[in-house]
Amino acid sequence: MAIARKRQISLADTKYYHCISRCVRRAYLCGEDRFTGQSYEHRRCWVEEKLLALSNVFCIDVCAYAVMSNHTHLVLYVDDKKAKRLNDKAIIIRWHKLCKGTMLTNKYVQGGKLTKAECFFLNETVDEYRERLSSISWFMRLLNEDIARRANKEDGCTGRFWEGRFKSQALLDEAALAACMAYVDLNPIRAKIAHTPETSDYTSVQKRIESATDGKQPIQLLRFAGMPRQHMPKGLPFELKSYLELVELTGRCIREDKRGYIDNTHSRLLERVNISADNWLKLTSHFTRVFHGAVGRPTSQEGYCEHLNRKRRANVRNCEKLLA
């Protein structure tokens, strides 16, 4: 039985989540439909542009993404502290970039005077907007609705475009986060639609590599902050160089069909998160097959399940095998 969305997200345990959306029709989201010969490649740009535009408005950062032919993979970071820190006017202005708002919110932004009753209702609305701006459900809703409407209009049809709601996985520790990001970034290579990370169009790894050649990090994505330390700035707890080397090495092993084998040159990232080479290849080859639900070491799972009042712990054996 599917688990309710509110019982899958616990920001007290982790702010990182892997989200997957799949198409319901035979017609592809992107790429070329082999039945009709029609190309939908331009829709990849739709998804990427909308995704990065939403991340500029929401208090949610994109860690990794891959736009495939009939599904999308996202790794998101929920910055709920930022949502709480923003003042009321900033919250309203952000929400108006997404939706029209109400008569009261528009009146407030334009500098109109509000009565006590209007202020009361405005505060309730602002609280609602604040919660939405740090909600993965609202983020995915606005992303998928926009793409579905555009695709339906282009195809001249109505009805479902996506296979129900998106699926999400909690990434409870650094090992799960690193494995999932590599899994997402290597999707085009595993699907044989790209040969190297830098030629994987509409992926986060391609965007990171393009910026890295100029000695920069892309402003649209959550930046790498380096090794964890006492006063840790906001960002991914890895080194960019180590992560790119890790993706390249892992991708080479998978592409050459050398499962269970890795070069003697171990990435510093693998050593730090304490995952063996064999287990790492399993994680990045079959992440969604190996894990269903929250992912992390058994100790991370304990607190997560406790906070959500869940007695059954998914992935316990696989987590013990691969992440111990």
Side-chain angles (χ1 to χ4, degrees):
M1 184 181 294
I3 300 172
R5 190 78 58 202
K6 64 182 180 181
R7 299 193 64 204
Q8 295 180 36
I9 295 177
S10 172
L11 298 182
D13 295 288
T14 181
K15 300 182 189 298
Y16 296 98
Y17 293 86
H18 175 212
C19 301
I20 309 166
S21 298
R22 296 186 183 278
C23 290
V24 73
R25 294 194 205 126
R26 185 186 73 179
Y28 280 7
L29 165 65
C30 304
E32 185 174 314
D33 188 334
R34 59 187 174 185
F35 294 98
T36 65
Q38 185 172 352
S39 175
Y40 298 98
E41 185 67 19
H42 58 283
R43 292 180 181 174
R44 294 182 190 272
C45 189
W46 292 0
V47 178
E48 185 178 56
E49 286 181 351
K50 186 64 177 181
L51 169 66
L52 299 179
L54 286 175
S55 69
N56 282 333
V57 178
F58 275 80
C59 298
I60 293 177
D61 295 288
V62 178
C63 305
Y65 68 87
V67 184
M68 305 300 290
S69 61
N70 63 352
H71 66 284
T72 61
H73 283 280
L74 309 177
V75 177
L76 304 175
Y77 171 84
V78 182
D79 192 354
D80 56 327
K81 291 182 179 178
K82 181 178 179 180
K84 294 174 182 175
R85 193 169 59 243
L86 293 172
N87 61 39
D88 291 353
K89 189 172 184 179
I91 290 291
I92 293 173
I93 290 173
R94 280 175 178 256
W95 189 254
H96 283 182
K97 291 179 181 179
L98 304 170
C99 303
K100 293 180 180 178
T102 67
M103 183 179 70
L104 281 179
T105 58
N106 282 286
K107 182 178 178 181
Y108 174 76
V109 170
Q110 292 167 8
K113 290 185 178 181
L114 303 180
T115 64
K116 286 185 178 181
E118 287 176 329
C119 287
F120 174 80
F121 288 110
L122 177 71
N123 290 334
E124 286 191 339
T125 303
V126 170
D127 290 341
E128 186 178 356
Y129 289 173
R130 193 184 302 277
E131 185 178 346
R132 289 179 181 180
L133 287 174
S134 60
S135 167
I136 288 179
S137 291
W138 272 94
F139 185 95
M140 295 301 296
R141 173 181 174 176
L142 293 179
L143 172 63
N144 287 348
E145 278 186 0
D146 180 75
I147 302 304
R149 286 197 183 99
R150 295 178 70 176
N152 281 348
K153 184 177 180 180
E154 184 178 65
D155 295 339
C157 64
T158 58
R160 283 184 177 273
F161 182 77
W162 299 102
E163 189 182 68
R165 294 190 69 192
F166 68 96
K167 297 178 181 178
S168 68
Q169 290 179 300
L171 305 174
L172 301 178
D173 49 38
E174 291 175 24
L177 176 61
C180 189
M181 285 182 62
Y183 167 79
V184 170
D185 280 331
L186 289 171
N187 250 253
I189 292 174
R190 282 192 299 278
K192 297 182 180 179
I193 61 175
H195 298 292
T196 61
E198 61 269 22
T199 60
S200 300
D201 294 332
Y202 304 108
T203 61
S204 52
V205 70
Q206 184 188 58
K207 194 168 288 291
R208 291 191 188 280
I209 291 171
E210 289 173 353
S211 295
T213 56
D214 297 326
K216 300 177 181 178
Q217 294 200 49
I219 59 174
Q220 306 99 321
L221 302 176
L222 184 63
R223 61 184 292 109
F224 284 82
M227 302 288 281
R229 46 198 182 275
Q230 186 175 1
H231 300 290
M232 185 72 179
K234 177 184 171 181
L236 293 162
F238 315 127
E239 293 177 347
L240 174 61
K241 184 174 181 292
S242 295
Y243 176 75
L244 293 179
E245 288 173 352
L246 173 66
V247 171
E248 170 70 18
L249 179 60
T250 308
R252 188 180 300 115
C253 292
I254 294 173
R255 188 175 66 250
E256 295 174 358
D257 197 27
K258 295 182 179 178
R259 296 178 185 270
Y261 171 83
I262 201 166
D263 201 319
N264 289 329
T265 307
H266 291 281
S267 166
R268 286 172 289 174
L269 179 60
L270 287 186
E271 294 172 351
R272 184 164 63 80
V273 298
N274 194 29
I275 303 177
S276 71
D278 291 351
N279 287 346
W280 180 257
L281 287 178
K282 291 177 186 176
L283 284 171
T284 53
S285 300
H286 306 292
F287 193 90
T288 52
R289 286 192 224 167
V290 174
F291 298 114
H292 300 279
V295 186
R297 290 192 172 91
T299 52
S300 302
Q301 290 262 12
E302 290 176 8
Y304 174 77
C305 292
E306 184 179 338
H307 288 143
L308 294 176
N309 295 319
R310 288 170 57 177
K311 294 181 180 179
R312 189 171 179 273
R313 297 177 185 177
N315 306 314
V316 172
R317 289 188 179 179
N318 285 333
C319 285
E320 285 176 346
K321 281 184 193 175
L322 301 178
L323 296 173

